[in-house]
Amino acid sequence: MDFSFSEEQTLLRNTIQSFVQDNYDFDRRREIIQSDEGMSKDNWKQLAELGLLGVPFSENDGGLEFGSVETMIVAEEFGKGLVVEPYIQTVVTCGGFLRRASEAQRQEHLPGLISGDEIWAFAYAEPQGRFNLADIKVSAAKNGDEYTLNGDKCVVSAAPWAHKLIVSARTSGDQSDKNGISLFIVDKSSDGISTRDYKTVDGSMASEVSFENVKLNSSSLIGEEGNAYPLIELVADETIAALCAEAIGAMSVLNETTVEYCKTRKQFGQPIGKFQVLQHRMVDMFMQYEQSVSMTYMVNLKLEEEDLERSKAASGAKVQICNAAKFIGQSAVQLHGGMGMTDELNVGHYFKRLSMIETQLGNADHHLKKYSLAS
Amino acid sequence: MDLNFTKADQEFRDEVRDFIAENFSPENNTGQNIEKYHEVTSDQMKEGILSWHKKLYKKGWIAPHWPVEYGGVDWSITQRYIWDQECANAGTTPLIPFGLTMLGPVIIAFGNDHQKDWVLKGILSGDDWWCQGYSEPGAGSDLASLRTKAERDGDHYIVNGHKIWTTLAQYANWMFCLVRTSSEGKPQEGISFLLIDMNTPGIEVKPIITVDGGHEVNEVFLEDVRVPVENLVGEENMGWTIAKFLLGNERTGIAGVARSKKAIDKLKEIAKSELNNGEPLINDSSFNKKITELEVDLTALEYTELRTLAKESQGEGPGVESSILKIKGTEIQQKISELTLEAIGNYASPYITPLSVRNFGSNYLEVGPEHTQGVAQNYFGMRKTSIYGGSNEIQRNIIAKMVLGL
Amino acid sequence: MDLDFNQEDLDFRNEVKDFIKEFYTQEMKDELARSKNGSASKDLHLKWQKSLYEKGWIAPNWPEEHGGPGFTTTQKYIFETEMAHAGAPRTIPFGLSMVAPVLMEFGTEEQKKKFLPDILSSKVWWCQGYSEPGSGSDLASLQCKAEDKGDHYLVNGTKIWTTLAQHADMIFCLVRTSKTEKPQEGISFLLIDMKSPGIDIRPLITLDQSPAPYQEVNQVFFEDVKVPKENLVGEENKGWTYAKYLLEFERGNSYSPSLYRGIKKLKDIAKDTSIGNDKYLINDIDFVSKLNQCEIEVQALEFVELRIFSALSAGQRVGPESSILKCRGTELQQKIQELSVEAIGYWSSPFVLDTFANINEPSIGPDYAMTITPSYLNGRKTTIYAGSNEIQRNIISKAVLGL
């Protein structure tokens, strides 16, 4: 057992820290998220040049062949900077599927992803399914060497920027069967795809995506037909682990900012940080943060475990992160008083991002149930 | 970073398991065990604790967190983790911390050679039973306001005063004590750390019966108690420094993660056998959710403790972060006792104490299923944990000041 | 002690219901439903207040001599409850419930004559100039200065968090007229025409990002603003007394009727939210138990309110107990908003800048989802404003517990 970071990992952290420092001050970020594009293609290119888009991929595939701890470091530092570029969506989630895809698929798709030429998004959620990854109505009917995709996916994060989508679809079985789910690589420009793009509360973008008789070649199928669910769960857990890391990054900034503010803001002739009731609130924020760091390490170190153990770790971590995100986000606004309510301070922006992380891939209630079933 | 056990660690775990199986029989486990609460008389409890202590002493494992040259064991954090885990799984008798966890490290850091010799030996062998003379009726959270006075008289101190909440002082033959040796300057600056033989004339121990009906704590009255000057630890008036050092050590052990895990297992067992609308309580979604939340919280604490231990093994700390362990550890322990109380429903109310057993005979015990016994007492008793060892409010003050810089 | 209404009360309730049915039109409902922060266009509010004015119900708390309806305590309760249940627009409080009671108590006859009728008819829209960038919870430390220039004051300074100042014709302001040992003793209460030269309003965009002119709060700058002496309320340097008097009114309103409405809306959402397998969120016991917990706490608050109402109708004054209402009311409101965000799942994420525009464009996800996250974000203010909940707890610990 060991909780220290290697020299190489520290170096990686420094690289990302300077990227964030150079490209992501508050005003610059505001410009990026208010632009029509909603993200910075320059930043994306730069991430590619730094090799960061290749973190989890094997050297054979042109990647750095790093593990989950490195991904955690990247996500944590991005969380500190509230980076909106779709790293987790493209590299962790879609990359998670692709690095387990066939040799041919990897050769076809990974170079474009790693070079930054192509952004990817995972279309899984459907309006009726809430957080159940197996509740899928989008259908892929097989006909000879071809599939026909029909149905709607909702709130597909990063889809407005994406060139390629990975879509979960039903090839057989009933609406919420775990069997009969397949994964497809879909070119977003294919005929029959229509999207409605929009901004999200936390400064990112998403789309409603409709498929109407979209024709897919069978070479776009990832893995075996009908057996994709275990892989979806695995990649969802990996994504949760990265989201947790992003969250602790954001929490650490909120905590530091709040403590700093309470040291300087004076009311009743003294810094408000001298009031015990506020001190204890900040201590509780700090403890929630430390507990979240612990759970984030835990889940990232357990991603290689067998399914049940891994999924329990991911759910446990998500529960802790959801609770802490809510408490820290709300408290940071409260302790900043009216200023915390304004769009001008970064506090609200971190609060919004943390609030959205709560929901992504299932909220606390959802994961408490999963955790309990895995116990 | 990784979580894996090496082959050596796995072998160590087997060795620990074997040792516990050979040397610890649950029947002898009478110390602080909820299930057996009603059967425990004072002397049995003392015996139970000492018998386990002596077996560990013989094996050389009695003080894993001490440096090897003083009789400690050279365990890695993983090994310490394994040890705690296995002890909790087997439900071994908790050892008394006053000598091993509290005084031992103080003597190692501040004691002179003579003290290192006799004090540490007595702690390791279990021949000396130490208690802690800190709090006073007027000095609780504000410990530095203590007034028990030690006046120099030749090669003795004459100690007069009144200590309170002295845990298991009824068994102790020694007490380490904070006393006032000077009233000048800040209150912290006039405190000294004294070792006092409990058999010295002028000491009186009076029991305090707590809300759970148990006799765990006492008041200790000191009247003209003569203490040899050689029993002063460190220098005169540096007692506060020593006390702070000690509190830091006290808090790391206090998380009690492994034992809380065991207590949650127990809670789940109870929830499986208790019925709710004809169904096991564990199937009740609301109750189940509360247990799960607790489990998640405990897992987070477990990894927080491991991170702290890892830092410590690299020579950092235990820092003030250990206050987190105290706060979260005790909150979780209290929550488990609360949910257990909730789980047993109506049988929370029969009031059974060692005293009532003595007065009404053993039939009195048959009220309710066995797993309900002592649960309410334990719930009431656990309330102390967020008060003692520096109340959780004080711990938050410490974090606010030392970590957040407020 | 009893909980029943008599026949007269029941008749009154029907009258209120009928009124709402007639004047709270579908069009108004649709507009208000698109609000992120509880306010709609100035027109809507004026229209609604005008119908209340014509009915004689615009100021339930005013004495009859000034144009109040002479409601009994029970009628006031019924009135408020029905309005909240229907989700009717709130009346903008700054004139009606804030400055008016102060004028009635401390104003000159001339001031009363000049200002009260226009408040009643909503001809003049007021806003409140209290907080400043450096004076939040510690209001008495305010710096905005009014210098005596013979027949007028010269006002210089900045006010912040000025709600709906963009619509206001008048502002009532706390200003410093003297530098005294105790900061409370040098404060005066001034009425200032918003059209005076030297006043500049800057919108403050809050977390919910309601764009101007729908922003909720503003910063108001005063640069050499001339205010006639006759606009001073009461005596110079006694403003703090009047401010405290006013604060009691600000905190004295009841929360439970609108909280019940929030819970009802939340239940409707839970009934409409699929959780897969042909089940709905309302079937999810974990969610429902949180909802029930909330409802029980609202009921506890309701009965605190009823006890206060009953004390009021017995002629007793509401003291610091009203701080309990502020704390629990706002915290429960936030909890309901939080559960609403949780309920809508992924639909909490899409962001719409101007919810009033593009009224014909279909919403992303269900209609009601659009304003839920902004309302949650906006609702964080409630535990900060009007004396933060920390300050309220200080008040309770000092004034009630004697600590």
Side-chain angles (χ1 to χ4, degrees):
Chain A
M1 209 162 13
D2 174 20
F3 287 95
S4 55
F5 294 102
S6 69
E7 230 168 89
E8 203 179 19
Q9 289 167 339
T10 308
L11 212 66
L12 175 71
R13 189 185 289 279
N14 294 342
T15 307
I16 305 160
Q17 275 174 351
S18 32
F19 167 82
V20 171
Q21 239 161 34
D22 295 346
N23 300 286
Y24 254 88
D25 67 49
F26 185 63
D27 292 331
R28 179 75 192 111
R29 177 178 183 273
R30 185 194 286 274
E31 271 170 41
I32 293 172
I33 63 174
Q34 286 180 351
S35 68
D36 288 341
E37 184 71 44
M39 67 169 278
S40 158
K41 290 277 158 71
D42 286 348
N43 281 347
W44 194 250
K45 270 283 164 209
Q46 221 179 315
L47 292 176
E49 278 158 24
L50 290 167
L52 293 174
L53 302 183
V55 161
F57 305 108
S58 72
E59 285 179 14
N60 271 341
D61 288 336
L64 298 176
E65 207 162 331
F66 280 153
S68 56
V69 173
E70 285 78 7
T71 297
M72 175 178 89
I73 292 169
V74 178
E76 183 183 355
E77 293 305 323
F78 281 179
K80 288 183 192 165
L82 281 183
V83 170
V84 292
E85 279 71 37
Y87 185 85
I88 292 182
Q89 296 93 321
T90 298
V91 178
V92 181
T93 312
C94 291
F97 290 120
L98 289 174
R99 67 195 167 98
R100 290 158 176 114
S102 71
E103 175 80 37
Q105 287 169 329
R106 295 201 311 272
Q107 279 183 3
E108 184 183 348
H109 298 295
L110 284 180
L113 189 157
I114 295 171
S115 66
D117 292 333
E118 287 180 342
I119 289 173
W120 289 65
F122 177 37
Y124 61 97
E126 298 186 14
Q128 82 290 345
R130 199 165 172 86
F131 306 128
N132 182 353
L133 297 169
D135 195 302
I136 293 176
K137 278 210 235 176
V138 167
S139 65
K142 191 165 185 181
N143 189 355
D145 199 29
E146 213 178 56
Y147 290 90
T148 308
L149 203 57
N150 273 295
D152 300 321
K153 292 286 181 184
C154 70
V155 200
V156 184
S157 181
W161 306 312
H163 306 83
K164 303 261 174 70
L165 303 173
I166 292 177
V167 182
S168 60
R170 187 155 293 291
T171 39
S172 66
D174 288 336
Q175 189 181 314
S176 57
D177 283 351
K178 290 181 180 170
N179 290 320
I181 298 169
S182 306
L183 283 168
F184 296 95
I185 298 170
V186 182
D187 202 312
K188 208 182 83 175
S189 59
S190 313
D191 287 343
I193 296 184
S194 54
T195 58
R196 183 171 176 202
D197 301 345
Y198 48 85
K199 305 234 178 211
T200 56
V201 171
D202 50 354
S204 180
M205 291 190 80
S207 306
E208 304 296 287
V209 184
S210 300
F211 303 95
E212 205 187 329
N213 294 322
V214 177
K215 301 288 180 206
L216 300 172
N217 193 286
S218 62
S219 66
S220 57
L221 177 72
I222 297 179
E224 279 172 58
E225 181 188 298
N227 284 332
Y229 189 71
L231 179 60
I232 295 177
E233 284 234 295
L234 167 63
V235 172
D237 288 345
E238 290 174 346
T239 307
I240 286 172
L243 284 171
C244 290
E246 186 191 346
I248 60 169
M251 289 177 198
S252 74
V253 175
L254 268 187
N255 280 359
E256 278 166 30
T257 311
T258 305
V259 167
E260 219 30 63
Y261 182 78
C262 290
K263 279 181 189 168
T264 46
R265 169 76 175 173
K266 282 191 180 154
Q267 292 283 273
F268 306 103
Q270 57 178 327
I272 60 174
K274 290 283 169 209
F275 295 108
Q276 193 184 37
V277 72
L278 304 191
Q279 288 182 350
H280 284 196
R281 177 84 76 98
M282 284 183 269
V283 170
D284 288 340
M285 291 163 75
F286 169 71
M287 291 199 295
Q288 281 283 11
Y289 164 70
E290 286 292 332
Q291 294 278 80
S292 301
V293 171
S294 296
M295 290 301 257
T296 302
Y297 289 0
M298 186 276 293
V299 64
N300 277 288
L301 294 172
K302 283 196 170 185
L303 287 176
E304 307 284 314
E305 302 276 335
E306 48 94 23
D307 290 356
L308 203 63
E309 180 74 13
R310 183 204 69 229
S311 137
K312 189 178 164 186
S315 288
K318 190 75 201 307
V319 169
Q320 169 62 35
I321 260 69
C322 289
N323 294 338
K326 190 169 278 169
F327 181 75
I328 290 175
Q330 294 179 349
S331 300
V333 171
Q334 180 73 20
L335 295 183
H336 275 83
M339 287 313 293
M341 285 301 299
T342 64
D343 197 47
E344 290 167 32
L345 244 60
N346 65 11
V347 175
H349 297 254
Y350 283 94
F351 174 40
K352 288 180 193 179
R353 178 62 197 134
L354 283 174
S355 303
M356 293 301 111
I357 289 176
E358 273 184 57
T359 310
Q360 279 183 301
L361 287 169
N363 62 13
D365 272 7
H366 174 79
H367 284 287
L368 272 171
K369 279 193 197 104
K370 272 192 83 180
Y371 186 96
S372 165
L373 290 173
S375 294
Chain B
M1 262 197 159
D2 71 89
L3 292 178
N4 297 326
F5 288 161
T6 60
K7 184 120 198 311
D9 291 333
Q10 286 167 11
E11 280 164 14
F12 175 74
R13 185 173 58 195
D14 293 340
E15 190 190 351
V16 168
R17 275 188 192 162
D18 290 345
F19 172 79
I20 293 177
E22 260 168 55
N23 290 278
F24 180 75
S25 53
E27 297 81 60
N28 289 343
N29 179 13
T30 49
Q32 303 186 352
N33 187 327
I34 310 163
E35 295 151 73
K36 308 275 176 169
Y37 187 89
H38 50 278
E39 292 169 10
V40 178
T41 67
S42 297
D43 290 344
Q44 279 172 328
M45 176 169 156
K46 185 179 175 184
E47 265 167 43
I49 295 169
L50 278 180
S51 114
W52 178 232
H53 183 114
K54 295 210 156 145
K55 283 181 177 141
L56 290 170
Y57 173 57
K58 217 172 119 198
K59 175 79 178 167
W61 285 356
I62 188 66
H65 50 287
W66 290 14
V68 185
E69 66 259 43
Y70 295 107
V73 200
D74 194 12
W75 281 347
S76 65
I77 56 155
T78 313
Q79 285 174 311
R80 278 167 71 176
Y81 172 76
I82 291 170
W83 171 248
D84 283 348
Q85 207 72 39
E86 294 303 321
C87 283
N89 286 342
T92 61
T93 312
L95 298 170
I96 301 303
F98 304 106
L100 289 166
T101 318
M102 299 185 183
L103 182 60
V106 163
I107 296 295
I108 291 168
F110 298 97
N112 58 35
D113 286 345
H114 175 60
Q115 288 165 341
K116 279 180 188 164
D117 185 49
W118 74 267
V119 175
L120 298 183
K121 257 188 204 154
I123 293 174
L124 288 171
S125 67
D127 290 342
D128 289 331
W129 185 301
W130 287 86
C131 66
Q132 179 189 34
Y134 268 37
S135 298
E136 297 182 8
S141 284
D142 181 13
L143 186 58
S145 68
L146 60 87
R147 282 159 47 182
T148 292
K149 205 168 52 178
E151 281 167 305
R152 189 73 181 259
D153 177 26
D155 52 3
H156 279 80
Y157 287 104
I158 313 290
V159 181
N160 277 288
H162 180 181
K163 293 289 175 182
I164 197 166
W165 315 127
T166 324
T167 302
L168 299 180
Q170 68 264 42
Y171 306 140
N173 56 337
W174 281 92
M175 169 165 74
F176 57 90
C177 208
L178 291 181
V179 293
R180 181 156 304 287
T181 36
S182 159
S183 50
E184 273 161 42
K186 291 203 318 192
Q188 286 84 348
E189 287 165 7
I191 294 172
S192 298
F193 194 99
L194 273 190
L195 309 177
I196 302 179
D197 185 339
M198 290 294 277
N199 295 316
T200 321
I203 298 183
E204 193 196 349
V205 178
K206 265 173 82 176
I208 299 175
I209 304 301
T210 41
V211 277
D212 53 343
H215 171 203
E216 194 182 25
V217 290
N218 303 275
E219 282 182 278
V220 178
F221 297 88
L222 303 117
E223 202 189 328
D224 292 333
V225 177
R226 293 182 70 83
V227 180
V229 169
E230 66 199 50
N231 284 4
L232 173 75
V233 178
E235 284 165 41
E236 206 175 84
N237 297 333
M238 76 174 286
W240 191 250
T241 311
I242 299 175
K244 277 200 296 187
F245 172 84
L246 185 152
L247 275 176
N249 285 318
E250 185 184 358
R251 285 191 286 271
T252 40
I254 224 158
V257 170
R259 289 191 189 269
S260 286
K261 269 194 190 170
K262 184 80 180 163
I264 289 183
D265 288 344
K266 176 94 208 246
L267 166 60
K268 284 182 172 170
E269 285 307 311
I270 293 176
K272 274 181 200 154
S273 60
E274 287 285 337
L275 295 181
N276 178 49
N277 296 324
E279 274 227 52
L281 179 62
I282 193 104
N283 296 350
D284 177 84
S285 171
S286 306
F287 195 76
N288 193 294
K289 188 179 171 191
K290 285 190 264 194
I291 299 181
T292 312
E293 276 169 345
L294 202 53
E295 277 188 286
V296 171
D297 215 16
L298 182 60
T299 310
L301 181 65
E302 178 180 5
Y303 281 87
T304 303
E305 186 179 37
L306 287 173
R307 286 168 53 215
T308 313
L309 286 174
K311 263 189 174 173
E312 206 180 320
S313 70
Q314 291 169 344
E316 295 174 50
V320 276
E321 287 91 345
S322 62
S323 290
I324 299 180
L325 303 180
K326 201 271 163 159
I327 298 171
K328 288 305 295 181
T330 53
E331 282 174 358
I332 289 171
Q333 288 158 24
Q334 290 182 336
K335 191 73 193 171
I336 297 171
S337 73
E338 188 183 317
L339 287 185
T340 311
L341 182 74
E342 208 175 295
I344 62 169
N346 293 327
Y347 280 113
S349 79
Y351 181 62
I352 299 161
T353 66
L355 195 68
S356 58
V357 174
R358 221 174 304 150
N359 290 347
F360 300 105
S362 58
N363 280 343
Y364 199 84
L365 300 179
E366 305 304 318
V367 187
E370 197 179 342
H371 67 242
T372 63
Q373 312 213 333
V375 166
Q377 283 90 331
N378 186 51
Y379 166 70
F380 294 124
M382 288 309 282
R383 306 315 302 168
K384 71 182 173 224
T385 62
S386 52
I387 301 169
Y388 68 33
S391 74
N392 287 11
E393 287 74 20
I394 291 290
Q395 303 299 339
R396 284 183 169 84
N397 288 352
I398 293 174
I399 297 175
K401 197 170 157 191
M402 308 302 287
V403 184
L404 306 182
L406 290 166
Chain C
M1 255 189 169
D2 74 88
L3 292 174
D4 297 330
F5 291 135
N6 61 30
Q7 189 55 46
E8 252 169 73
D9 294 332
L10 293 173
D11 292 344
F12 175 73
R13 186 166 68 184
N14 286 333
E15 199 184 344
V16 177
K17 281 186 194 227
D18 290 344
F19 174 85
I20 295 171
K21 214 184 276 171
E22 189 178 345
F23 292 99
Y24 185 29
T25 61
Q26 189 58 42
E27 200 185 338
M28 288 164 99
K29 281 182 196 164
D30 290 345
E31 186 184 333
L32 208 56
R34 299 181 88 85
S35 169
K36 294 177 179 182
N37 57 27
S39 306
S41 63
K42 186 173 182 178
D43 282 351
L44 180 142
H45 289 285
L46 286 181
K47 194 173 150 202
W48 173 244
Q49 295 194 179
K50 207 168 156 234
S51 23
L52 281 168
Y53 171 63
E54 278 159 9
K55 177 77 181 170
W57 285 352
I58 185 69
N61 291 314
W62 286 25
E64 280 173 274
E65 50 164 319
H66 291 299
F71 286 165
T72 63
T73 311
T74 311
Q75 281 176 325
K76 267 186 218 168
Y77 171 74
I78 291 173
F79 182 77
E80 263 191 60
T81 307
E82 290 306 321
M83 287 296 168
H85 281 174
R90 57 181 191 140
T91 48
I92 305 301
F94 306 105
L96 288 160
S97 338
M98 295 181 163
V99 76
V102 171
L103 289 174
M104 288 175 205
E105 186 77 15
F106 305 103
T108 61
E109 277 315 307
E110 226 161 75
Q111 286 171 335
K112 287 182 203 172
K113 244 188 250 155
K114 182 171 172 196
F115 295 115
L116 292 179
D118 288 349
I119 291 175
L120 208 61
S121 68
S122 300
K123 195 174 151 202
V124 171
W125 186 305
W126 286 77
C127 66
Q128 178 188 35
Y130 268 35
S131 297
E132 297 180 9
S135 308
S137 288
D138 182 11
L139 185 59
S141 68
L142 59 90
Q143 306 278 330
C144 185
K145 193 170 60 173
E147 285 167 289
D148 192 334
K149 296 284 178 188
D151 64 340
H152 67 271
Y153 290 104
L154 198 62
V155 178
N156 277 289
T158 305
K159 293 291 176 184
I160 199 168
W161 317 128
T162 323
T163 304
L164 300 180
Q166 71 269 35
H167 303 322
D169 308 298
M170 293 288 294
I171 182 169
F172 59 93
C173 252
L174 292 181
V175 292
R176 182 155 304 286
T177 36
S178 159
K179 289 228 167 181
T180 45
E181 180 98 348
K182 265 188 82 178
Q184 286 84 349
E185 285 166 7
I187 293 172
S188 299
F189 196 103
L190 268 192
L191 313 176
I192 305 177
D193 189 332
M194 288 294 277
K195 281 175 215 79
S196 320
I199 294 184
D200 187 24
I201 302 174
R202 208 190 98 198
L204 284 169
I205 302 304
T206 44
L207 299 183
D208 50 288
Q209 286 176 293
S210 304
Y214 296 105
Q215 84 269 20
E216 187 173 30
V217 287
N218 302 274
Q219 198 163 355
V220 181
F221 298 88
F222 299 86
E223 204 189 327
D224 290 335
V225 176
K226 284 186 183 174
V227 181
K229 275 275 175 75
E230 67 211 46
N231 281 10
L232 174 74
V233 175
E235 290 173 48
E236 203 177 86
N237 298 331
K238 288 273 167 65
W240 191 250
T241 316
Y242 315 143
K244 278 201 297 189
Y245 179 80
L246 185 156
L247 273 179
E248 265 181 43
F249 285 88
E250 195 179 356
R251 284 179 203 139
N253 47 10
S254 63
Y255 287 87
S256 61
S258 61
L259 293 173
Y260 277 124
R261 179 178 159 80
I263 286 178
K264 190 181 164 293
K265 273 168 81 177
L266 180 52
K267 280 185 182 164
D268 289 341
I269 293 173
K271 281 180 200 151
D272 191 55
T273 301
S274 164
I275 53 171
N277 294 338
D278 292 326
K279 286 216 175 102
Y280 291 85
L281 192 57
I282 199 81
N283 309 118
D284 178 89
I285 182 148
D286 291 331
F287 187 80
V288 170
S289 81
K290 283 189 276 195
L291 213 154
N292 289 340
Q293 177 68 39
C294 217
E295 188 168 336
I296 290 165
E297 287 176 36
V298 170
Q299 195 175 28
L301 177 65
E302 179 191 12
F303 274 77
V304 175
E305 288 172 354
L306 289 173
R307 283 166 55 211
I308 289 178
F309 257 115
S310 142
L312 278 175
S313 58
Q316 291 157 348
R317 245 186 110 176
V318 197
E321 287 83 359
S322 67
S323 291
I324 302 176
L325 304 188
K326 159 80 204 306
C327 287
R328 293 304 295 147
T330 53
E331 284 156 15
L332 283 165
Q333 187 186 330
Q334 290 183 340
K335 186 75 199 171
I336 294 169
Q337 288 169 334
E338 189 182 306
L339 288 178
S340 304
V341 172
E342 195 180 316
I344 60 173
Y346 286 126
W347 300 121
S348 63
S349 155
F351 173 70
V352 183
L353 181 65
D354 187 346
T355 46
F356 294 109
N358 311 325
I359 206 146
N360 295 320
E361 201 176 306
S363 61
I364 302 155
D367 286 342
Y368 50 75
M370 180 171 50
T371 54
I372 288 200
T373 306
S375 302
Y376 163 71
L377 295 169
N378 182 271
R380 303 312 304 173
K381 74 185 176 203
T382 60
T383 47
I384 297 168
Y385 68 28
S388 73
N389 287 20
E390 286 77 11
I391 293 288
Q392 302 300 334
R393 285 182 167 81
N394 286 350
I395 292 173
I396 296 173
S397 75
K398 199 170 154 189
V400 183
L401 307 180
L403 293 169

